[in-house]
Amino acid sequence: MRRFLLLYATQKGQAKAIAEEISEKAFAHGFSADLHCISESDKYDLKTETAPLVVVVSTTGTGDPPDTARKFVKAIQDKALPGDFLAHLRYGLLGLGDSEYTYFCNGGKIIDKRLQELGARHFYDTGHADDCVGLELVVEPWVDGLWAALTKHFTSSRGKAERIGALRVALDASRRMDPLKPELLHIESQVELLRLGDLRRRDPEERGQNAVDGGRSSGGVGSESSLTRSEPPLSQAALSTPAAPPEYLHVRLQECPGQEESQASVTSVDPIFQVPISKAVQLTTNDAIKTTLLVELDISKTDFSYQPGDAFNVICPNSDSEVQNLLQRLQLTDRREHCVHLKIKEDTKKKGAALPPHVPDGRSLQFILTWCLEIRAVPKKALLRALVDHTSDGREKRRLQELCSREGAADYNRFVRDERASLLDLLLAFPSCQPPLRLLLEHLPKLQPRPYSCASSNLSHPGKLRFIFNIVEFLSHTTKEVLRKGVCTGWLAAVVASALRPDVRVSCAEGGKAPAPEISISPRTTNFFHLPSDSSAPVIMVGPGTGIAPFIGFLQHREKLQEQHPDGHFGAMWLFFGCRHKDRDYLFREELRRFHQCGVLTHLKVSFSRDAPVGEEDAPVKYVQDNIRLHSEHVARLLLHERGCIYVCGDAKNMAKDVNDTLVEIISKQAGVEKLEALKMLATLKEEKRYLQDIWS
């Protein structure tokens, strides 16, 4: 059997799932995949590896390799390594990313570039899959083309690397090969067109974080397609559906004595701190389009520490009502307190099957559905395919087959992915589908903690940590129109409801008063969004809406530093803030004015996108990028001549991209260079950590 080494670097399980799919398909194509997480460095050695290497790499943050790849990246970036260190290695790499972020697929690109710098060469061209329009648009053709590329590789080196196994001979043989270009990998340009088309369908005011276009599921004029129904030609097409994913878990539900169950029992690599909420304030008026809350946590009795600009994780549960509805639909309501015990099926055909690490043994079914599984996750095609085999109605079975087939990719994107359908949505839409509990535990990913930016400085608020968030609300159209709240923000809003009421005093210090509600938090490992070490460097901050959070921490910190060092030299601080209405959602209005009046904030530029223009203005400043353009000479001077730093925080889909485009335009004009050169200059700012982004989709 022709062997290849298959590594995955995953953050939330996506890259792992794709690598496992490759591994499972390998045998049918005459190959054997040696599958490992990239962090398992004791199980493989690239320095001596003679087989071809296949790597699947996701991207996290604003362009970082996943946490599981941190050790690997550090090792290969050792500057002492010679340029031919991996000259014997032939590899193919699949990067996963989201083109709404500036550093698209950068986790894979970092590894790809460094492998080549160390002498490794492609036997198969790199694929860049875009979660913005559907990873499968690139993943499926890339995986399909992999087998021909591997066959060509082994054919070229047969009788040498295979028979003798000599490293040098394998190197010489491989040098004669040209990289194989898989069919359909012109898709990146198509993906960009699809992405732009998708964004054009959305209201430019509402698209961005937490926004959903509620009209898409109804289809075009005259169309009757829906989640549960297809139209010709799909309804009449012969389908190429994937093979059913192999079962690998045996689940036993056992009655167990009542026990206290805390989310702290969920496995985590980071320390978890349970902290009380000391304050909660609504920052917006009741008639604002979005409700924004400020929450203050008391961290004085913990060793949790942070700097302004850091982010942290909030560990949150799934909606209790959705958990109960799922239990009811699975006919497991009467067993919700039973303990769940898992083991690997003895006859499983899944290679390298392992117990899901995010499902603790012996915990109740209700606990696992509440704290461990992302039940709101958009079902992947593998899950849809698994549901097919547990659906008795012929029409429902056919529709699920369509949605997981290659021919039904457009319908999958439209009715499942774009509508953010959940497993519960599918089970309600297909009533004859009766999946076993095992299937959920095999396919649902880990419930991820939600990150938030620190909106305070420990110098200004010792022992306290503040953050802000919008209460996310969106319409789900999968089966019927339902108003849903974000998993974390909906829960947080309920937790702090009592603290927001003026008639309830929150305190745990004295008897007779309501105890302060508590939440669990953990530190974020990637901290990069900090004030420059040189306090004299000018700072430009761009943060509309809740993107202002880290900059409040910056300003509080700078104010205290200036008080402590009255003779110090501090650079100018510019803030470009934006909101919809001056009188409804101008966050931190009084605090910003105070910073401006005392000189900590030297320039405050605010835009209001929904307010009518004042006076005779023909072109009112609606968005932060408009205000940046209005002050282009100052911005260019600070960045290009005074070694200033620019920080952008907020929505990745539109704001961050528009700000980036505006900066390219400004640099091109003010420096008198072509757009390409301006792009290079902006890239240099990023490399120098003088253009930093903390953005989300």
Side-chain angles (χ1 to χ4, degrees), residues 107-375:
K109 289 176 180 177
I110 288 172
I111 293 174
D112 199 4
K113 180 182 178 183
R114 185 55 181 156
L115 290 179
Q116 292 186 65
E117 289 175 348
L118 293 174
R121 290 173 59 200
H122 291 121
F123 75 87
Y124 186 44
D125 273 7
T126 297
H128 295 135
D130 188 357
D131 196 38
C132 177
V133 295
L135 293 172
E136 68 278 358
L137 287 176
V138 167
V139 171
E140 290 179 1
W142 193 90
V143 173
D144 287 346
L146 174 63
W147 315 118
L150 283 167
T151 298
K152 181 177 180 180
H153 170 83
F154 281 109
T155 300
S156 292
S157 54
R158 186 183 300 139
K160 295 184 179 179
E162 291 266 323
R163 191 169 59 242
I164 305 171
L167 197 59
R168 179 53 57 189
V169 177
L171 174 60
D172 293 339
S174 299
R175 278 178 178 153
R176 296 197 295 270
M177 296 191 310
D178 293 323
L180 180 67
K181 296 183 183 299
E183 293 182 1
L184 303 180
L185 284 188
H186 61 282
I187 253 171
E188 271 199 78
S189 59
Q190 296 179 4
V191 164
E192 181 64 16
L193 291 175
L194 285 168
R195 183 179 75 84
L196 293 173
D198 181 59
L199 291 178
R200 290 189 194 106
R201 289 197 294 270
R202 307 185 188 190
D203 174 3
E205 287 288 303
E206 289 300 317
R207 63 195 182 185
Q209 187 195 18
N210 314 325
V212 170
D213 176 1
R216 281 176 291 173
S217 65
S218 61
V221 177
S223 169
E224 296 182 17
S225 295
S226 68
L227 177 64
T228 57
R229 175 188 171 95
S230 63
E231 289 292 306
L234 178 59
S235 61
Q236 300 168 354
L239 301 176
S240 51
T241 55
E247 303 175 11
Y248 68 95
L249 287 180
H250 174 77
V251 181
R252 180 168 58 92
L253 290 175
Q254 181 182 26
E255 287 190 56
C256 51
Q259 56 182 324
E260 281 289 319
E261 293 187 306
S262 164
Q263 65 269 32
S265 65
V266 180
T267 55
S268 172
V269 295
D270 297 313
I272 294 176
F273 302 92
Q274 195 162 352
V275 294
I277 294 170
S278 52
K279 182 178 182 181
V281 179
Q282 182 171 316
L283 300 180
T284 50
T285 59
N286 290 332
D287 59 348
I289 293 173
K290 291 183 179 180
T291 300
T292 306
L293 303 181
L294 177 145
V295 173
E296 181 182 83
L297 305 176
D298 184 351
I299 59 172
S300 59
K301 295 180 180 179
T302 74
D303 58 0
F304 184 96
S305 62
Y306 70 97
Q307 296 181 48
D310 280 352
F312 66 99
N313 290 320
V314 172
I315 298 164
C316 62
N318 287 306
S319 159
D320 183 62
S321 64
E322 289 181 38
V323 170
Q324 302 315 317
N325 290 340
L326 186 56
L327 284 166
Q328 184 176 8
R329 177 62 181 79
L330 295 170
Q331 301 178 4
L332 290 170
T333 301
D334 59 342
R335 305 179 76 182
R336 63 180 181 271
E337 299 300 334
H338 283 46
C339 293
V340 177
H341 298 282
L342 302 179
K343 67 177 183 178
I344 301 297
K345 289 174 70 88
E346 292 181 1
D347 59 347
T348 183
K349 295 180 181 178
K350 182 178 177 66
K351 188 175 180 182
L355 296 177
H358 54 280
V359 180
D361 187 67
R363 296 294 173 179
S364 72
L365 176 56
Q366 172 137 346
F367 175 85
I368 288 171
L369 293 179
T370 302
W371 290 101
C372 304
L373 300 178
E374 190 89 57
I375 65 172

Side-chain angles (χ1 to χ4, degrees), residues 510-535:
E510 302 173 30
K513 296 177 182 177
E518 294 186 340
I519 66 172
S520 294
I521 63 173
S522 65
R524 294 272 288 174
T525 53
T526 304
N527 298 321
F528 62 92
F529 203 75
H530 296 149
L531 282 165
S533 55
D534 179 5
S535 61

Side-chain angles (χ1 to χ4, degrees), residues 87-124:
H88 58 282
L89 194 65
R90 296 294 174 267
Y91 74 99
L93 186 143
L94 175 62
L96 313 181
D98 188 327
S99 61
E100 286 164 356
Y101 288 79
T102 303
Y103 300 102
F104 172 57
C105 279
N106 202 50
K109 289 176 180 177
I110 288 172
I111 293 174
D112 199 4
K113 180 182 178 183
R114 185 55 181 156
L115 290 179
Q116 292 186 65
E117 289 175 348
L118 293 174
R121 290 173 59 200
H122 291 121
F123 75 87
Y124 186 44

